[in-house]
Amino acid sequence: SDNEAQLKAVNEALEQRVRERTAELQALFDSASVGIVLVRDGLIMHGNRRLDELFGYPPGAQLGRPARQWLANPDAGLADDADTTARLARGETLRQDVEVRRGDGEHFWVRLSRRVIDPANPQRGMVGVLEDITTERDAMDEMLRAKTLAEEASRMKSDFLANMSHEIRTPMNAIIGMSYLALNAELPPSLQNYLSKAQRSAHALLRILNDI
């Protein structure tokens, strides 16, 4: 009948629109510069192209595998304590820097954001967004190394100055003491003049050492 034909045409048009919309969303999904994954019951149910690129797998090869395969150290990977579980249950988005590994075993770092799809029904799964931050981490490590080297250089300089000051101050004090004793003795005026000048110079050097 005409009504059935019209209904069929409408259904076909709707299905076509759904297919087109799905293709558009898939294109957006795959063009993202970060890895996007849907995890349900700990298994990878869906992931975009960037996710496979990050971990060095062919497209779709990770589907059905446990997400924990990514962790470089499963015992010290994701925070899964009671507080984390409660926050996820409230619908919060959790972010954490995690060390992971590619399919070939190479380690790298990602910033992982995760959120359950429906806090009222956690069985629907969790969405994760993974951003490669290896370059950022390397820069931070380099800054830390530079800071450590600078602190070590400063410490060595301080130790050197302290040792040098001590080594010079000891004979300088002896010169000042001996010249003081000599000035208290009966000496020719010219010799007293020489010793007095030497003592003043020694005091001046000692002040410089104390400033250093």
Side-chain angles (χ1 to χ4, degrees), residues 85-145:
T85 303
R87 291 174 62 191
L88 287 170
R90 292 195 297 267
E92 294 185 29
T93 299
L94 303 186
R95 293 178 178 85
Q96 181 184 355
D97 292 355
V98 185
E99 187 178 14
V100 294
R101 61 182 177 185
R102 294 187 172 88
D104 60 6
E106 180 185 357
H107 288 201
F108 67 108
W109 283 86
V110 297
R111 181 159 294 135
L112 170 63
S113 301
R114 47 186 174 141
R115 181 187 181 114
V116 294
I117 296 175
D118 182 1
N121 183 13
Q123 298 303 316
R124 293 187 61 189
M126 181 184 303
V127 171
V129 176
L130 298 88
E131 178 187 4
D132 188 344
I133 59 167
T134 303
T135 301
E136 178 183 329
R137 295 283 303 203
D138 288 345
M140 289 175 59
D141 290 343
E142 187 61 32
M143 289 177 61
L144 182 60
R145 283 193 293 270

Side-chain angles (χ1 to χ4, degrees), residues 66-79:
R68 296 192 74 86
Q69 71 175 1
W70 296 330
L71 299 178
N73 184 355
D75 295 329
L78 295 178

Side-chain angles (χ1 to χ4, degrees), residues 17-101:
R17 288 179 61 185
V18 169
R19 285 193 295 270
E20 291 174 355
R21 184 60 175 162
T22 300
E24 291 173 356
L25 292 174
Q26 185 65 45
L28 289 171
F29 188 59
D30 282 334
S31 64
S33 60
V34 293
I36 304 174
V37 62
L38 169 63
V39 176
R40 186 179 298 128
D41 295 327
L43 301 179
I44 303 167
M45 306 306 297
H46 196 39
N48 67 344
R49 185 176 303 154
R50 179 57 179 156
L51 184 77
D52 289 325
E53 291 174 352
L54 276 175
F55 291 98
Y57 287 97
Q62 301 184 89
L63 299 183
R65 295 186 179 184
R68 296 192 74 86
Q69 71 175 1
W70 296 330
L71 299 178
N73 184 355
D75 295 329
L78 295 178
D80 286 324
D81 53 22
D83 178 64
T84 299
T85 303
R87 291 174 62 191
L88 287 170
R90 292 195 297 267
E92 294 185 29
T93 299
L94 303 186
R95 293 178 178 85
Q96 181 184 355
D97 292 355
V98 185
E99 187 178 14
V100 294
R101 61 182 177 185

Side-chain angles (χ1 to χ4, degrees), residues 115-205:
R115 181 187 181 114
V116 294
I117 296 175
D118 182 1
N121 183 13
Q123 298 303 316
R124 293 187 61 189
M126 181 184 303
V127 171
V129 176
L130 298 88
E131 178 187 4
D132 188 344
I133 59 167
T134 303
T135 301
E136 178 183 329
R137 295 283 303 203
D138 288 345
M140 289 175 59
D141 290 343
E142 187 61 32
M143 289 177 61
L144 182 60
R145 283 193 293 270
K147 179 175 179 290
T148 301
L149 287 173
E151 290 173 346
E152 178 65 14
S154 178
R155 187 191 63 78
M156 291 177 66
K157 182 174 118 176
S158 296
D159 289 347
F160 168 76
L161 289 174
N163 291 333
M164 180 193 73
S165 175
H166 174 75
E167 292 298 329
I168 299 176
R169 188 183 288 110
T170 299
M172 190 62 65
N173 283 327
I175 292 172
I176 292 172
M178 292 300 102
S179 61
Y180 173 79
L181 293 175
L183 286 169
N184 287 330
E186 293 184 2
L187 297 172
S190 59
L191 189 55
Q192 281 197 340
N193 182 44
Y194 297 153
L195 285 173
S196 183
K197 289 179 178 178
Q199 189 183 56
R200 286 198 298 273
S201 296
H203 277 294
L205 285 173

